[in-house]
């Protein structure tokens, strides 16, 4: 399918052929007919992407500070690698569209194929032939009605305008001023008139002021002074009841003008992005209520609402973003709004660059509503062939495919894989087609796809790397093993014990089962190997202390979601358990864990753990989310046999024995073993040799993290009991209960 994307580094806009999206859980697949180009939001995004690196740095000093901190912590080359990867990511443009439903996910019962709908949301209602949209980010167009797709494409902006009006709490007969008569301002003015208000509009452009007047506004102006007079005249000298600022400007003039024209104890609502240098004296003298309207309404930016479809009860939240969209569409169906006069340009998707030349001012032409049109005859192709690779005649190379094309995959795993001359890159899959296509182009894969079935059906694919979100790992591992593919799965292997049980069964079902490896990369790091070698001659138990300064994550981050990420203990702690087991040379037998009480939102992510090992070694792990990321992330101290060593963030290793000190440093880059682990995986797959990490070790590390989670919940020490777990899995195999 065709999709409009922008390069985040240089700002280049282009229409690309990408795989069509698949229908994700809780979502609807829509064949797009029309999408609206937002002259405010999308222009701002486009202009920022077009800036040079220095201009970006000036505009976003917070990002610069983060980059400098990463340079100090991880080294210059590591920081540059991550920064380049993120700047090279393509951006999907668009957030308001309309089209026809083609398919719905199981569980979506109130929308059916064939329904005409309006869609909302950045990353969902994109400028593309097809869109996968969460249920609560779309609204059905009332039928029967004369509402066209062109009109319905305005629904997202209509919901923005409606929510702004609701924030102002306007009432029948109120005198309301609208500052800024772009698209949102024009829609706001019409909605206010439909609500029985007297509407006064201000815009610097005469043609926009004239349009608002023709569409029902009571009076409009293009100058500040005249607008003052209009507001006094229409309010009987008292000032307006409410002001909605729908302008887009870095200046604070609109906010302070709003205070000047408002009555005593009026309400001012900022809907557009404007300067916030408020003249306190003006607002104080009238005790004005100043509010900021947040997008389309309640539910916006709430992952549980938008992504998981958990609606708010109408008795508690009357107007959610979805209900605002539905209300706007009803007003359209009742012909209370006139949108055709707002549409100044229509472009076919192939000419979308002309639309952006228009809204960024490059063409020098006046505009208002700009629409992109789609032919509607595109078929759903969830695989895109970039090139044809001749069929291999020898096994000198491993046909490798990848599931997942996020930041970690493109910044860390794929560059490492690309350097391996024993790998033939087959296909890459991602739920969003543009990321799959971008990664396929950048790393030269044969094809890209939007679902894993296309990857697993490739007979030339020998192995699969899984780098998707955590909740997908178990099912994808089992599917790949069942398809006869070797599997490299980024940590964690799974989020539940029953999933681990099924995976162990699948791997142990036969001697010829494909190889499984989990991305426990730290044991492959050069400094970790040197550390293990240093203690290899010690014949007594080791004392180990691992401090991880993980830093806080936003509460709504997907890793903190129990359903998607499993939490940071399950999602990340396995790394450190594996490295400690590798150094100790044995497996954990018992765990005891306590979380830090009273540490606010970081409490569940801040914990101390004690691990007992089969050879008597002990390890304490302090996983800390309540510190400052400027400090090094990882520090491992080991003592035993009259020797001691300290590994600091995989950039400095200090080893002491018999009062002799050896220090190893890596000044420019952090090496946590990602390249080495992938090289070992590929070589083992080609040679048919044993997996670089045994199934027993993988199961032990994963089971240990589950037991740590259990210990945190009950506050008691818990045995790991790996042998009992494995015996149970093997007995099930002998009884014929092998997972499909």
């Amino acid at each position: 399918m065709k999709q409009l994307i922008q390069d985040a580094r240089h700002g280049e806009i282009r229409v690309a052929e990408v795989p069509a999206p698949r229908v994700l859980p809780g979502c609807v697949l829509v064949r797009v007919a029309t999408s609206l180009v937002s002259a405010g939001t999308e222009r701002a995004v486009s202009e920022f992407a077009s800036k040079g690196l220095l201009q970006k740095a000036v505009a976003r000093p917070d990002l610069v500070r983060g980059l400098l901190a990463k340079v100090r912590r991880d080294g210059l080359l590591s920081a540059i690698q991550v920064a380049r990867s993120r700047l090279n990511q393509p951006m999907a443009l668009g957030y308001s569209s309309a089209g026809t439903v083609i398919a719905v996910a199981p569980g979506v019962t109130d929308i059916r194929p064939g329904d005409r709908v309006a869609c909302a949301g950045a990353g969902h209602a994109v400028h593309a032939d097809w869109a996968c949209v969460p249920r609560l980010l779309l609204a059905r167009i009332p039928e029967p009605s004369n509402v066209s797709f062109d009109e319905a494409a305005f629904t997202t902006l209509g919901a923005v305008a409606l929510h702004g009006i609701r924030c102002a709490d306007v009432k029948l007969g109120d005198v309301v001023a609208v500052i800024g008569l772009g698209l949102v301002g024009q829609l706001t003015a019409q909605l206010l008139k439909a609500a029985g208000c007297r509407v006064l509009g201000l815009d610097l452009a005469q043609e926009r002021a004239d349009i608002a007047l023709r569409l029902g506004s009571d009076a409009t102006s293009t100058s500040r002074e005249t607008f003052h007079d209009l507001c006094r005249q229409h309010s009987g000298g008292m000032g307006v009841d409410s002001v909605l600022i729908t302008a887009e400007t870095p200046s604070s003039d609109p906010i302070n003008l709003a205070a000047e024209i408002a009555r005593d104890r009026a309400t001012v609502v900022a809907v557009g992005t404007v300067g916030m240098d408020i003249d306190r004296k003006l607002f104080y003298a009238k005790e004005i209520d100043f509010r900021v309207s947040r997008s389309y309404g309640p539910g916006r930016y709430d992952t549980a609402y938008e992504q998981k479809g958990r609606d708010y009860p109408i008795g508690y939240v009357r107007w959610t973003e979805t209900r605002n969209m539905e209300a706007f569409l009803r007003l359209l169906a009742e012909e209370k709004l006139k949108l055709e006069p707002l549409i100044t340009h229509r472009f076919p998707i192939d000419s979308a660059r002309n639309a952006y030349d228009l809204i960024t001012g490059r063409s020098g032409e006046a505009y208002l509503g700009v629409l992109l049109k789609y032919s509607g005859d595109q078929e759903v192709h969830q695989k895109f062939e970039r090139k044809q690779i001749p069929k291999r005649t020898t096994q000198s190379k491993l046909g490798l495919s990848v599931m997942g094309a996020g930041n970690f995959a493109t910044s860390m795993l794929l560059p490492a894989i690309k350097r391996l001359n024993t790998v033939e890159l087959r296909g890459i899959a991602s739920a969003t087609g543009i990321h799959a296509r971008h990664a396929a182009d950048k790393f030269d894969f044969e094809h890209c796809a939007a679902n894993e079935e296309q990857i697993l059906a490739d007979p030339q694919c020998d192995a699969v790397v899984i780098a998707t979100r955590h909740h997908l790992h178990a099912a994808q591992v089992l599917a790949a093993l069942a398809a006869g593919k070797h599997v490299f799965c980024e940590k964690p292997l799974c989020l539940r014990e029953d999933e681990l049980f099924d995976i162990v069964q699948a791997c142990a079902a036969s001697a010829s089962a494909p190889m499984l490896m989990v991305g426990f990369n730290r044991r492959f790091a050069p400094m970790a190997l040197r550390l293990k070698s240093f203690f290899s001659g010690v014949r007594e138990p080791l004392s180990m202390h691992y401090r991880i300064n993980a830093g806080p994550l936003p509460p709504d981050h997907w890793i903190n979601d129990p359903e998607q990420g499993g939490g940071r203990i399950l999602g990340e702690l396995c790394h450190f358990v594996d490295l400690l087991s590798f150094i100790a040379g044995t497996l954990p037998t018992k765990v005891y864990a306590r979380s830090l009480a009273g540490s606010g939102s970081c409490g569940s992510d801040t914990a101390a753990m004690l691990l007992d090992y089969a050879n008597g070694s002990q390890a304490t792990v302090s996983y800390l989310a309540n510190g400052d990321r400027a400090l090094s992330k990882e520090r491992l101290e080991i003592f035993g046999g009259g020797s001691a060593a300290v590994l600091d963030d995989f950039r400095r290793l200090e080893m002491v024995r018999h009062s002799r000190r050896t220090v190893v440093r890596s000044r420019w880059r952090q090496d946590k073993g990602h390249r080495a682990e992938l090289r070992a995986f590929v070589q083992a797959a080609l040679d048919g040799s044993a997996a670089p990490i045994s199934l027993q070790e993988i199961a032990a590390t994963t089971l240990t993290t589950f037991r740590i989670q259990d210990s945190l919940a009950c506050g008691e020490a818990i045995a790991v009991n790996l042998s009992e777990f494995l015996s149970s899995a093997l007995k099930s195999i002998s009884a014929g209960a092998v997972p499909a």
Side-chain angles (χ1 to χ4, degrees):
M1 71 171 189
K2 294 174 181 176
Q3 181 167 356
L4 186 65
I5 61 176
Q6 182 167 34
D7 180 85
R9 190 173 199 180
H10 304 294
E12 178 192 1
I13 292 173
R14 62 190 175 91
V15 177
E17 285 285 347
V18 303
R22 58 190 175 97
V23 186
L24 297 175
C27 293
V28 171
L29 184 65
V30 177
R31 183 174 62 211
V32 180
T34 306
S35 61
L36 175 70
V37 179
S38 168
T41 302
E42 292 190 62
R43 183 184 70 238
V45 170
S46 178
E47 288 176 347
F48 179 78
S50 301
K51 294 178 184 292
L53 289 177
L54 182 58
Q55 292 172 307
K56 284 186 172 78
V58 172
R60 292 294 304 274
D62 56 318
L63 298 181
V64 176
R65 287 193 296 270
L67 180 61
L68 292 176
K70 189 167 184 64
V71 169
R72 290 191 294 269
R73 188 175 61 247
D74 300 345
L76 178 63
L77 297 181
S78 295
I80 289 175
Q81 180 180 346
V82 171
R84 281 179 173 171
S85 176
R86 295 198 173 183
L87 282 173
N88 281 332
Q89 289 293 323
M91 295 189 300
L93 299 171
Y95 68 93
S96 187
S97 65
T100 305
V101 174
I102 300 302
V104 300
V108 177
T109 58
D110 58 340
I111 295 289
R112 296 179 176 84
D115 285 347
R116 300 195 310 143
V117 293
C119 311
H124 303 294
V126 292
H127 299 312
D129 287 309
W130 300 87
C132 177
V133 185
R135 167 61 191 93
L136 291 181
L137 283 174
L138 57 82
R140 187 188 292 107
I141 299 172
E143 299 293 355
S145 74
N146 294 322
V147 177
S148 67
F149 284 130
D150 287 8
E151 293 172 311
F154 282 78
T155 299
T156 304
L157 268 65
V160 170
L162 259 180
H163 183 57
I165 292 170
R166 299 194 198 286
C167 287
D169 195 23
V170 300
K171 297 175 177 62
L172 183 69
D174 277 358
V175 180
V176 185
V178 179
I179 299 178
L181 295 172
L183 278 183
V184 175
Q186 297 283 352
L187 296 174
T188 300
Q190 290 196 52
L191 289 166
L192 287 166
K193 286 302 296 181
C197 297
R198 192 178 306 172
V199 182
L200 312 174
L202 170 67
D203 198 282
L204 299 179
Q206 183 66 57
E207 59 270 24
R208 295 187 176 187
D210 291 343
I211 290 173
L213 199 59
R214 290 199 304 271
L215 295 180
S217 292
D218 294 277
T220 61
S221 174
T222 59
S223 74
R224 183 185 184 117
E225 293 74 19
T226 306
F227 196 55
H228 268 278
D229 295 338
L230 281 177
C231 293
R232 282 194 297 269
Q233 176 187 342
H234 284 268
S235 64
M238 295 182 295
V240 300
D241 298 295
S242 300
V243 184
L244 286 107
I245 304 169
T246 53
E248 185 85 19
T249 174
S251 170
S252 299
D253 287 346
I255 282 185
N256 295 315
L257 171 61
E260 294 172 8
I261 62 176
R263 65 165 170 81
D264 188 62
R265 291 177 176 81
T267 301
V268 173
V269 178
V271 180
T273 305
V274 294
M276 301 286 282
D277 186 8
I278 294 175
D279 186 332
R280 182 181 181 276
K281 183 178 179 181
L282 288 171
F283 279 80
Y284 175 81
K286 297 181 181 179
E287 200 173 345
I288 291 173
D289 186 356
F290 175 65
R291 304 173 184 178
V292 177
S293 173
R294 187 174 71 176
S295 204
Y296 330 149
R300 190 71 182 113
Y301 309 115
D302 181 349
T303 302
Y305 180 94
E306 293 190 334
Q307 305 299 325
K308 297 182 180 180
R310 295 174 185 166
D311 200 358
Y312 302 151
I314 195 168
Y316 292 89
V317 184
R318 175 62 184 94
W319 292 109
T320 62
E321 58 181 329
T322 311
R323 292 194 267 270
N324 277 333
M325 294 171 65
E326 291 168 345
F328 181 80
L329 286 167
R330 279 195 298 272
L331 289 169
L332 277 178
E334 294 166 3
E335 300 183 358
K336 300 285 183 64
L337 306 172
K338 299 176 182 177
L339 300 189
E340 187 62 35
L342 303 180
I343 301 171
T344 59
H345 295 79
R346 291 177 172 88
F347 295 95
I349 181 62
D350 290 320
S351 302
R353 289 184 61 177
N354 296 336
Y356 279 78
D357 287 342
L358 188 70
I359 67 169
T360 54
R362 295 190 188 99
S363 67
E365 187 179 347
Y367 65 91
L368 193 55
V370 180
L371 300 178
L372 298 181
K373 303 289 291 180
Y374 304 83
S375 63
D377 57 1
Q378 288 276 335
E379 294 184 15
V380 181
H381 294 295
Q382 294 181 330
K383 181 178 179 181
F384 179 77
E385 299 280 355
R386 289 186 61 253
K387 62 179 184 177
Q388 288 291 328
I389 299 177
K391 188 173 181 179
R392 295 191 305 275
T393 56
T394 67
Q395 286 300 315
S396 60
K397 288 192 175 185
L398 185 76
L400 188 142
S401 295
V402 178
M403 296 180 187
N407 283 331
F408 181 76
T410 55
S411 66
M412 193 63 66
L413 296 181
L414 292 176
I417 292 171
K418 183 66 176 174
R419 291 185 176 93
L420 300 175
N421 56 16
T422 53
V423 165
E424 178 183 278
L425 295 178
R426 299 292 306 165
I428 183 164
S430 173
T432 53
I434 64 167
H435 288 99
R437 176 63 196 271
H438 171 74
D441 289 343
K442 183 176 180 180
F443 298 100
D444 202 24
F445 282 85
E446 183 199 53
H447 58 267
C448 54
N451 61 56
E452 61 199 50
E453 289 80 7
Q454 300 285 352
I455 295 296
L456 299 180
D458 178 10
Q460 294 278 80
C461 170
D462 307 308
V464 173
V465 171
I466 296 173
T468 52
R469 289 193 173 183
H470 299 168
H471 67 298
L472 301 174
H473 288 186
Q476 290 175 340
V477 166
L478 290 170
L481 291 173
K485 317 294 185 185
H486 299 299
V487 177
F488 177 98
C489 180
E490 250 311 310
K491 59 81 192 168
L493 176 62
C494 54
L495 296 181
R496 300 197 314 269
E497 194 166 329
D498 62 310
E499 293 175 336
L500 176 62
F501 192 89
D502 290 344
I503 291 170
V504 168
Q505 284 188 333
C507 291
S510 70
S512 60
M515 175 180 61
L516 170 68
M517 181 171 166
V518 179
F520 298 144
N521 52 279
R522 283 159 175 77
R523 64 161 61 200
F524 295 92
M527 288 188 182
L529 294 170
R530 184 109 179 229
L531 185 61
K532 181 174 176 63
S533 176
F534 180 70
F535 284 100
S536 61
V538 174
R539 302 303 177 204
E540 63 182 57
L542 299 177
S543 295
M544 302 176 285
H545 179 223
Y546 209 148
R547 186 271 292 156
I548 301 101
N549 175 35
L553 276 182
D556 61 349
H557 194 284
W558 70 268
I559 288 179
N560 287 329
D561 182 346
E563 297 174 15
Q564 283 200 16
R568 301 180 79 181
I569 298 299
L570 287 183
E572 189 172 1
L573 196 68
C574 51
H575 262 321
F576 316 118
V577 172
D578 177 77
L579 179 57
L580 291 167
S581 301
F582 176 68
I583 299 296
T586 187
L587 303 177
T589 58
K590 185 186 292 185
V591 300
Y592 176 61
R594 292 289 301 274
S595 58
L596 182 65
S599 58
S601 61
C602 298
S604 60
D605 294 341
T606 300
M609 289 143 275
L610 176 64
L611 282 68
D612 290 346
Y613 285 85
N615 64 0
S617 294
Q618 287 188 336
T620 58
V621 181
S622 299
Y623 189 88
L624 310 170
N626 58 347
D628 191 316
R629 289 181 185 270
L631 186 69
S632 64
K633 180 181 178 182
E634 299 177 39
R635 183 179 175 89
L636 173 59
E637 299 179 348
I638 302 179
F639 302 85
S643 304
V646 179
L647 175 60
D648 199 357
D649 232 4
F650 295 88
R651 295 189 64 201
R652 185 180 186 275
L653 173 61
E654 180 180 1
M655 298 170 288
V656 183
R657 178 179 290 151
H658 304 313
S659 299
R660 296 180 61 183
R661 187 185 311 270
T662 302
V663 178
V664 181
R665 291 185 176 87
S666 177
R667 297 186 182 278
W668 300 106
R669 137 183 343 266
Q670 200 180 44
D671 189 345
K672 291 186 179 180
H674 293 99
R675 295 182 191 176
E677 67 170 347
L678 289 162
R679 189 183 308 114
F681 169 73
V682 169
Q683 198 58 52
L686 284 172
D687 296 344
S689 55
I693 306 176
S694 70
L695 180 61
Q696 184 185 35
E697 291 175 291
I698 291 171
T701 294
T702 307
L703 192 61
T704 299
T705 59
F706 292 148
R707 295 296 174 260
I708 288 172
Q709 196 88 320
D710 294 340
S711 181
L712 285 170
C714 71
E716 297 178 0
I718 298 180
V720 176
N721 287 334
L722 175 66
S723 58
E724 180 181 318
F725 179 85
L726 294 177
S727 296
S728 177
L730 293 175
K731 284 180 183 177
S732 296
I733 292 175
S734 61
V738 180

